[in-house]
Amino acid sequence: MIRSVVKGYGACLPKRAVPNKDLENVVDTTDEWIVQRTGIRQRYIAGDDETTCSLGEGAARAALRKAGLQPDDIDLIIVATSTPDNTFPAAAVDIQNRLGIRGGAAFDLQAVCTGFVYAVTTADAYLRGGLATRALVIGAETFSRILDWEDRGTCVLFGDGAGAIILEAVESDGELSDRGVLASKLRSDGDHKDKLYVDGGPSSTQTVGHLRMQGREVFKHAVGMITDVIESVFSTTGMNAEDIDWFVPHQANKRIIDASARKLGIDPDKVVITVDRYGNTSAASIPLALVDALDDGRIKENDVVLLEAMGGGFTWGAVMIRW
Ligand code: UT7
């Protein structure tokens, strides 16, 4: 059988870091409130010369370098984003062009904060189905461009950035001890649309719109949805919290991450946290956190890594990878 094995990883952040203190001049907020309620201390905000595609390109080039691959070795690009440079063409095709790739396929995938989990699962299905051999999976966002900078309930929470991994189709015996994507589960339920959405779009308002969120309502559902979908991955693989080497959750709020890990019985020392430095970067948050833990040597080859996310829609899901 085929397994989708990780070959490289990379990240790209905007140049400018914005500490909570700076936001005290923008809306009625305090560093203390933001840290206490979310764990966020700073985020990166894209400058005029930085976009979702430029950040995505930076992450892709870093991942190619790490994998020792050339752009032409890639025959599938999936970009998870809700903030593409243009309504179309897809950010993935733009990034494909920036990398000088002329073959294969490239498309965007929109599942908001769950985008990277959806994109890894989709790439894995393409590779296992024989539709591609090497996939570049990118999460790239510039949420700062869809924030209402007068709404303190949302503008302090999000940041910009991009992360990427490369997955390669590798012949495998398909054992749990073999490297690659072991299992994934995706969920969505549009009944929750009004709790987290953007109030514009090409076919409705002909504007980009601004992010709107009933934060407390999202919070109320998050832990249950995250833990349910992870339990489902556990039962598919026959593994449990003790088998996990690293838990790399979507980075929306430290309190949600802590509560989810506690409910699942995952040791806090195994949880990768970046929300303090990057804020919530939506589809980019998981790959950025992965790169953090890979660069400092925490995640090593053969480790079992559990990814999860929940976001607008609602969408939610989890992926287990033997790194
Ligand atoms: O990534 C996609 C998924 N998104 C999430 O997972 C986000 C989920 N939600 C959350 O993380 C939290 O609900 C928030 C961080 C958004 C808010 O935390 P909370 O503990 O749920 O606070 P709250 O919304 O209940 O607001 C508490 C108070 C309110 O004041 P009153 O009504 O009690 O007087 C807010 O107006 O905090 C006030 N508030 C603020 N105060 C200072 C809201 N935003 C701010 C702010 N600074 N930035």
Side-chain angles (χ1 to χ4, degrees):
M1 68 177 291
I2 298 287
R3 273 272 169 81
S4 307
V5 174
V6 180
K7 291 288 168 180
Y9 57 87
C12 183
L13 288 161
K15 290 186 281 293
R16 188 165 74 100
V18 177
N20 291 346
K21 270 272 169 232
D22 288 12
L23 298 183
E24 293 180 359
N25 306 319
V26 178
V27 283
D28 179 16
T29 192
T30 59
D31 173 50
E32 191 192 3
W33 188 95
I34 301 171
V35 172
Q36 254 179 23
R37 301 287 177 129
T38 71
I40 299 167
R41 293 180 183 277
Q42 63 160 40
R43 75 286 295 135
Y44 288 81
I45 300 289
D48 291 344
D49 58 339
E50 293 167 318
T51 68
T52 291
C53 288
S54 76
L55 298 170
E57 178 193 2
R61 287 193 186 281
L64 285 165
R65 270 197 305 278
K66 196 55 119 182
L69 292 169
Q70 298 304 313
D72 278 341
D73 295 326
I74 301 296
D75 56 4
L76 175 65
I77 303 177
I78 305 179
V79 176
T81 188
S82 302
T83 49
D85 289 17
N86 297 85
T87 303
F88 76 80
V93 178
D94 188 318
I95 293 170
Q96 181 191 36
N97 186 44
R98 287 163 182 257
L99 297 173
I101 301 174
R102 296 280 163 260
F107 59 89
D108 287 359
L109 191 156
Q110 214 270 56
V112 203
C113 296
T114 320
F116 193 74
V117 168
Y118 268 68
V120 168
T121 304
T122 304
D124 177 47
Y126 271 68
L127 296 180
R128 285 190 294 110
L131 294 170
T133 54
R134 243 176 252 109
L136 178 57
V137 185
I138 304 171
E141 303 277 20
T142 44
F143 260 48
S144 65
R145 307 250 154 90
I146 56 163
L147 294 174
D148 174 352
W149 284 99
E150 292 180 359
D151 175 14
R152 68 176 182 171
T154 54
C155 74
V156 304
L157 304 174
F158 294 89
D160 303 332
I165 63 171
I166 293 169
L167 291 172
E168 184 175 280
V170 172
E171 272 298 335
S172 162
D173 292 335
E175 302 293 334
L176 282 177
S177 53
D178 292 330
R179 293 181 64 206
V181 175
L182 302 182
S184 50
K185 300 281 173 190
L186 302 179
R187 301 272 186 274
S188 60
D189 182 355
D191 195 35
H192 299 284
K193 178 183 172 185
D194 291 348
K195 298 184 182 81
L196 176 50
Y197 66 104
V198 168
D199 63 4
S203 188
S204 54
T205 59
Q206 297 83 57
T207 61
V208 172
H210 289 119
L211 182 147
R212 305 291 172 206
M213 178 166 74
Q214 300 172 36
R216 207 175 305 181
E217 283 298 310
V218 179
F219 198 114
K220 243 170 44 190
H221 287 84
V223 178
M225 287 177 158
I226 290 163
T227 51
D228 274 3
V229 79
I230 290 174
E231 295 288 2
S232 173
V233 167
F234 283 162
S235 74
T236 297
T237 54
M239 294 169 99
N240 60 41
E242 299 203 336
D243 299 314
I244 302 304
D245 293 302
W246 296 104
F247 181 45
V248 186
H250 170 51
Q251 309 281 321
N253 186 320
K254 175 94 168 36
R255 287 154 60 209
I256 295 175
I257 296 172
D258 290 347
S260 304
R262 202 176 317 122
K263 195 167 168 198
L264 290 160
I266 296 175
D267 179 348
D269 290 342
K270 295 178 173 179
V271 183
V272 177
I273 302 283
T274 53
V275 69
D276 53 334
R277 283 159 295 140
Y278 305 155
N280 180 350
T281 56
S282 188
S285 90
I286 290 175
L288 281 170
L290 280 170
V291 172
D292 228 58
L294 285 155
D295 275 348
D296 67 18
R298 274 176 290 172
I299 299 178
K300 296 183 203 59
E301 200 167 300
N302 280 312
D303 280 353
V304 174
V305 180
L306 178 64
L307 318 178
E308 63 77 4
M310 181 264 186
F314 292 148
T315 54
W316 66 108
V319 179
M320 195 188 278
I321 302 176
R322 187 174 287 280
W323 206 265

